[in-house]
Amino acid sequence: MPIANTDVVIVDHDLILQTEAGDEIARIDQDGNIVTRHSVAGTLVEAFDFDAATGRLRLGAAGNAGDVVLVGSDGAETVKLAGGDASLELGTEGAHGDLMIVNSSGMTVLSYHAATGELTLGAEGHHGDVFVRD
C-alpha cells in the first residue's frame, strides 16, 4: 500500500521525492541505491548515483561536472577532485597537502610533502626508479 503526501511517496519499499508536478528528483530503493536528479535546461538529469552493490558513486551529469570536496573542521576546502578538468587539489592556506602512495605491503613508496617540496620515491628494499619517456 503506497503512502504519499505531496512530495514524498513510498512505492514497493522505495522512497521517492517528487516535485509538485510529480517529477521524480530522488529515489532510495530497498537495496540501498540512491539517485538524485537536477534540472538542466528544463530536463531532469541524474546528478548523483550511488550503486550499493558495487559501491560505485557517480557525480555530475551532461552539462554539469561533478566535484568531490572534503571540508576541514574550519570550513576550508582541503581536498577537491574536480570532474570538469580532472584536477586534484590537496591542502589550503595553513594546511599543506601531502600525498602518500602506499603499496599492498603497507609501505609508503611515494611521498610528496607540499610544505617543503620534497618528493621521495621508493622505500626500504624497494627501488624508487624514475622513467622519463619521449
Side-chain angles (χ1 to χ4, degrees), residues 10-85:
I10 298 173
V11 178
D12 296 327
H13 305 286
D14 292 358
L15 179 66
I16 303 167
L17 180 62
Q18 299 176 331
T19 65
E20 286 185 32
D23 296 324
E24 182 179 309
I25 57 173
R27 175 184 293 254
I28 302 173
D29 70 21
Q30 63 184 340
D31 296 321
N33 301 310
I34 304 169
V35 175
T36 66
R37 293 173 181 81
H38 178 72
S39 180
V40 175
T43 301
L44 287 174
V45 295
E46 287 184 6
F48 176 97
D49 180 2
F50 175 72
D51 184 322
T54 64
R56 178 180 175 264
L57 174 64
R58 186 179 61 77
L59 303 172
N64 288 331
D67 295 343
V68 176
V69 178
L70 301 179
V71 177
S73 59
D74 63 355
E77 294 183 359
T78 57
V79 177
K80 182 176 181 180
L81 175 59
D85 63 5

